[in-house]
Amino acid sequence: MSDQIDKETEYLLSIVNSVQYNKYRFKLMCGNDRYVFGIVSGSNFNEPAPFSKLMQYKTFYDTLRDLDYKIKISFFKAIEYAYSDELIDNFSIFRENTTIEMDTYYFIENAMFRTSSLWDILAQLYRLYYNLDIEPTKVYYNKLFNPDNNVNDQFKEKAREIYNYIKQEDDTNCEGEWKGNHTFVNGCRNKMTHRNSPNVGVMSDFDINLKVAPTYMLKRLIEDYGRVSMYISEILYKIEKDELKKFDM
């Protein structure tokens, strides 16, 4: 059992630790230890001026780094608690949550809501890079990457790949990354937002729900985090390659 736990935690930590962001990315230096903090221009979001566009990239990137830092804190604590002897040996779907279970679910839920924001940032980066005619406040990743939507004609193949992932059918009887992770994670988040906590066992006319083991939730969530972080890394690479060369960065 110990070897299995070590293998699982090593796998999850490898995904979390593989995501890294350079704090100097998108900084436009203008002298020793000085850089452009920001710029505010017109409201034309379709064709922003070069410096304005760079600052928008920096805004999303700084937010991304902030989110990722907080997500990692939650993942590290959730893994520590979820794979502790106390929780592994005593977890029950029928018993009221213990203190360590409550703490574990807290960190999992914290990471879950913040990871959902990564998908929004991914969509915003695509909107900005491809100059899509969509108001920033009306960007929804489910719609943006839907291959039936003409708005993604410039990146149709990638949109189809991302959409196929977020709509993937559930399959945990497979090696490596489970299938349907995003659907599962999104369902848990929506349940917490609109109904009741998926981590509270209930049986009533309002809802019938059994608790899900924290280790199960962590694998699904961390794999979804790894997937969206990979997609973000890909678009950031394109941005650096095609946009930052304009500023000799």
Side-chain angles (χ1 to χ4, degrees), residues 24-128:
Y24 297 107
R25 212 172 193 174
F26 298 109
K27 273 192 175 181
L28 185 59
M29 307 305 295
C30 55
N32 293 332
D33 299 325
R34 294 184 178 184
Y35 62 92
V36 177
F37 177 76
I39 185 172
V40 178
S41 60
S43 58
N44 187 348
F45 55 83
N46 293 330
E47 297 181 7
F51 277 105
S52 173
K53 195 167 186 178
L54 178 64
M55 289 302 105
Q56 289 183 60
Y57 285 134
K58 185 177 184 301
T59 297
F60 288 126
Y61 189 73
D62 289 346
T63 299
L64 173 64
R65 288 182 54 241
D66 179 75
L67 277 171
D68 192 71
Y69 176 83
K70 294 169 182 174
I71 289 171
K72 281 185 168 66
I73 291 175
S74 293
F75 278 151
F76 292 147
K77 296 303 292 184
I79 291 171
E80 175 188 344
Y81 292 161
Y83 286 92
S84 65
D85 291 340
E86 179 180 350
L87 198 50
I88 290 291
D89 294 339
N90 300 310
F91 176 79
S92 171
I93 62 174
F94 300 108
R95 189 188 57 205
E96 185 177 347
N97 289 340
T98 63
T99 299
I100 192 170
E101 286 175 16
M102 293 286 286
D103 292 345
T104 307
Y105 285 131
Y106 167 79
F107 287 113
I108 290 174
E109 292 171 3
N110 191 304
M112 184 179 296
F113 277 102
R114 295 183 189 278
T115 298
S116 68
S117 295
L118 295 182
W119 287 97
D120 295 325
I121 289 179
L122 174 66
Q124 291 287 359
L125 289 171
Y126 269 85
R127 174 195 64 80
L128 186 58

